[in-house]
Amino acid sequence: MTYYQLSTLCFILIIINDGLYALNNGLALTPPMGWLAWQRFRCTIDCNTFPDECVSEQLFKTTADLLVSEGYAQVGYEYVIIDDCWLEPNRTVEGKLQADKKRFPNGIKALADYVHSKELKFGIYENVGSKTCEGYPGIEGHEEVDANTFAEWGVDYVKLDGCYIDEHRMDIGFPQFGKYLNKTGRPIVYSCCWPFYQEGKGMKVNYKLVAENCNLWRNYGDIQESYSSLMGVVDVFAAKQDYWAQFAGPGHWNDPDMLLIGNFALSYEQCKTQMALWAVLTAPLMMSNKLSTVRPEFKSILQNKEIINVNQDKLGIQGRRIYLDQGIDIWAKPIEPIDEEYYSYALAFVNRRTMGTPFVYEISLKNLGLTNPKGYIIMNLYTKDDTVKHILKPSSQIKVLTNPSGVVFLKANVVTKYHFTKFEYTMDNDTFLFK
Ligand SMILES: *[C@@H]1O[C@H](CO)[C@@H](O)[C@H](O)[C@H]1NC(C)=O
Ligand SMILES: *[C@@H]1O[C@H](CO)[C@@H](O)[C@H](O)[C@H]1NC(C)=O
């Protein structure tokens, strides 16, 4: 059983979070939210076999339509982002990038205009090396003209990948392209797959440099369509949290990759777990799913406003795994409101046990690092039922009932003076059950 002094950690984080490392473009002050094609659609270019799933103008227009009509835009999902395989194999005679003429018959500018007409934002993919990972033209040697092309097209977000380049040269290539993006004068969120490749080679990543140049960055390998892939990413983020978490903050985020929710592999419990953990990790919330086929129970996970609010908390403090105990992982993220020196917290209890029955875990608030003597009001973010009639004190015990591979996700708000008149205290020996 491991326990970290949360209050001490938070104090350190606040100092570091003070914009020290930030890319100063005023963007992504909370983790960006939207939709990115890769995980679900990959490099599908066969539009005969997959007419509504190939990487094409139609896919992105339909996605923009559904983001709005299905209510995703209203809760904050705003970026529609193309990934690899959108390009013609050759540049124009003037040396400019061009989209595949069959799949994007009206070109990228027209698509960006369409996305903007829905009051959404538009993102695109390129690669810092000579080719994209799937072998299309990369930006190397064309950095300035490509940045200008993106700005002309109305691009609001660039994901820059890291294939076909020596990892050591990334420390030059990624900042250089960022400078050209900045020079266009257009506000463009800059997402860098930079640490991911360097970590993969066992290099020591200069995260300070990364955070000064990118709004977000991938730290680790691509997420794949399975629960074990998902939890593999999560375990790496937990293992590295004491180093990585300090670089997250308004304008600059660690990125554990896309949400798998609404696709084939994850169960309902597992989808709830990913959404809770991505909120705790202050991760960019990028769906990668076929919006026309997302079932209602998955849609309600993706659109859970309370959980999105945890992810979008203004403090932007990346949460941490604070306990591994009896197969239950407990994650905590400090959030607003703050009363004097006491934070509120989002708390995720993730069941890693493989026995078929739900499990009840019992712990005091104090042992979770919740020490505000005035107490806390706790809400269950999935069931929405809460203890609003009760104020729990640091000595109060809670019981948390989780299903295998599932989560219980709580928000513990610090009690302020205002609450005193409206709520009753629990007795010292009361225990509350959350499930
Ligand atoms: C397209 O580019 C490839 C190299 O990437 C080159 O070999 C080929 O000649 C080019 N084709 C045209 C039509 O320019
Ligand atoms: C360019 O960088 C400067 C200095 O960091 C910043 O003030 C400005 O907002 C940036 N402009 C854009 C369009 O990113």
Side-chain angles (χ1 to χ4, degrees):
M1 185 143 128
T2 47
Y3 172 57
Y4 301 96
Q5 287 294 334
L6 272 177
S7 49
T8 318
L9 285 174
C10 295
F11 180 66
I12 295 165
L13 285 171
I14 288 305
I15 293 172
I16 290 167
N17 253 342
D18 205 19
L20 208 61
Y21 301 144
L23 167 58
N24 191 18
N25 63 4
L27 301 172
L29 298 181
T30 61
M33 295 174 64
W35 185 98
L36 175 60
W38 185 254
Q39 160 52 22
R40 174 62 178 80
F41 298 97
R42 303 286 168 139
C43 193
T44 306
I45 57 174
D46 176 2
C47 297
N48 293 324
T49 311
F50 300 102
D52 60 348
E53 296 188 7
C54 65
V55 176
S56 68
E57 183 179 291
Q58 199 48 51
L59 175 64
F60 297 98
K61 285 174 83 170
T62 304
T63 298
D65 293 345
L66 290 168
L67 282 174
V68 175
S69 65
E70 294 290 312
Y72 295 96
Q74 213 187 331
V75 296
Y77 296 93
E78 61 175 339
Y79 290 96
V80 179
I81 307 167
I82 301 182
D83 208 283
D84 206 343
C85 305
W86 62 272
L87 285 153
E88 277 285 315
N90 293 71
R91 290 173 176 267
T92 65
V93 284
E94 297 87 37
K96 284 188 168 185
L97 294 170
Q98 53 184 342
D100 182 280
K101 287 177 185 145
K102 282 219 186 69
R103 290 179 286 117
F104 295 86
N106 300 296
I108 298 297
K109 171 89 170 71
L111 178 55
D113 288 348
Y114 184 84
V115 169
H116 291 148
S117 77
K118 298 268 156 183
E119 293 184 4
L120 297 167
K121 293 186 172 134
F122 177 73
I124 207 161
Y125 167 99
E126 249 299 352
N127 187 89
V128 69
S130 57
K131 292 187 220 169
T132 72
C133 297
E134 297 292 334
Y136 295 87
I139 65 164
E140 191 174 11
H142 307 266
E143 291 83 356
E144 184 162 20
V145 73
D146 291 351
N148 290 338
T149 302
F150 289 162
E152 283 160 25
W153 287 346
V155 167
D156 307 299
Y157 182 116
V158 172
K159 171 180 173 180
L160 197 65
D161 213 337
C163 285
Y164 294 102
I165 190 170
D166 182 300
E167 285 74 16
H168 295 90
R169 286 185 43 222
M170 291 184 174
D171 289 4
I172 295 161
F174 278 96
Q176 183 197 39
F177 191 66
K179 298 273 158 17
Y180 286 128
L181 286 178
N182 179 283
K183 239 179 89 181
T184 69
R186 185 175 175 85
I188 299 176
V189 172
Y190 188 27
S191 164
C192 302
C193 304
W194 168 5
F196 156 28
Y197 289 92
Q198 294 188 335
E199 292 272 1
K201 284 274 153 102
M203 291 169 57
K204 184 159 168 43
V205 178
N206 186 345
Y207 276 101
K208 185 171 174 297
L209 188 66
V210 174
E212 281 167 356
N213 286 282
C214 303
N215 291 116
L216 61 154
W217 51 86
R218 288 279 309 287
N219 308 64
Y220 186 65
D222 286 0
I223 200 161
Q224 309 289 342
E225 185 69 13
S226 76
Y227 187 63
S228 64
S229 166
L230 163 59
M231 294 316 276
V233 173
V234 166
D235 283 333
V236 170
F237 269 70
K240 300 276 193 170
Q241 62 190 4
D242 289 339
Y243 186 49
W244 287 356
Q246 64 184 298
F247 299 102
H252 43 109
W253 309 101
N254 293 302
D255 179 6
D257 212 2
M258 289 158 275
L259 296 167
L260 303 172
I261 301 165
N263 292 323
F264 302 108
L266 296 196
S267 71
Y268 178 62
E269 297 293 331
Q270 293 166 348
C271 287
K272 284 166 69 179
T273 297
Q274 188 183 25
M275 192 71 188
L277 288 176
W278 261 231
V280 164
L281 288 169
T282 64
L285 297 180
M286 292 296 167
M287 300 184 286
S288 187
N289 50 17
K290 191 173 178 182
L291 286 176
S292 58
T293 63
V294 173
R295 294 210 303 267
E297 65 268 33
F298 296 120
K299 183 174 149 184
S300 76
I301 294 171
L302 290 163
Q303 296 192 1
N304 185 313
K305 195 63 186 136
E306 288 289 345
I307 293 177
I308 291 170
N309 287 346
V310 168
N311 172 268
Q312 297 285 303
D313 180 78
K314 296 280 180 298
L315 300 174
I317 301 172
Q318 183 172 320
R320 290 156 182 260
R321 187 162 70 185
I322 58 169
Y323 282 108
L324 290 162
D325 187 27
Q326 300 172 67
I328 305 298
D329 291 6
I330 306 178
W331 292 77
K333 168 179 161 60
I335 53 174
E336 290 186 314
I338 305 170
D339 187 49
E340 295 170 16
E341 76 267 39
Y342 297 103
Y343 287 82
S344 301
Y345 285 92
L347 298 160
F349 295 76
V350 179
N351 186 330
R352 309 288 296 266
R353 298 163 65 87
T354 51
M355 284 192 272
T357 49
F359 183 77
V360 178
Y361 188 85
E362 184 168 345
I363 191 167
S364 69
L365 296 195
K366 183 174 62 213
N367 281 346
L368 289 166
L370 275 56
T371 54
N372 178 18
K374 286 188 210 147
Y376 297 84
I377 296 164
I378 300 187
M379 174 184 259
N380 185 332
L381 298 181
Y382 277 115
T383 63
K384 311 271 166 77
D385 52 59
D386 49 40
T387 64
V388 285
K389 294 284 178 293
H390 298 275
I391 289 170
L392 274 65
K393 293 195 276 185
S395 59
S396 303
Q397 292 282 122
I398 58 170
K399 281 184 177 169
V400 180
L401 187 154
T402 50
N403 296 332
S405 78
V407 68
V408 165
F409 197 27
L410 306 178
K411 185 171 80 171
N413 273 355
V414 281
V415 166
T416 60
K417 240 195 198 116
Y418 159 80
H419 291 108
F420 273 113
T421 53
K422 299 194 70 176
F423 296 89
E424 51 184 272
Y425 267 107
T426 60
M427 298 294 105
D428 268 347
N429 53 0
D430 273 354
T431 301
F432 280 83
L433 176 69
F434 296 94
K435 56 184 179 180

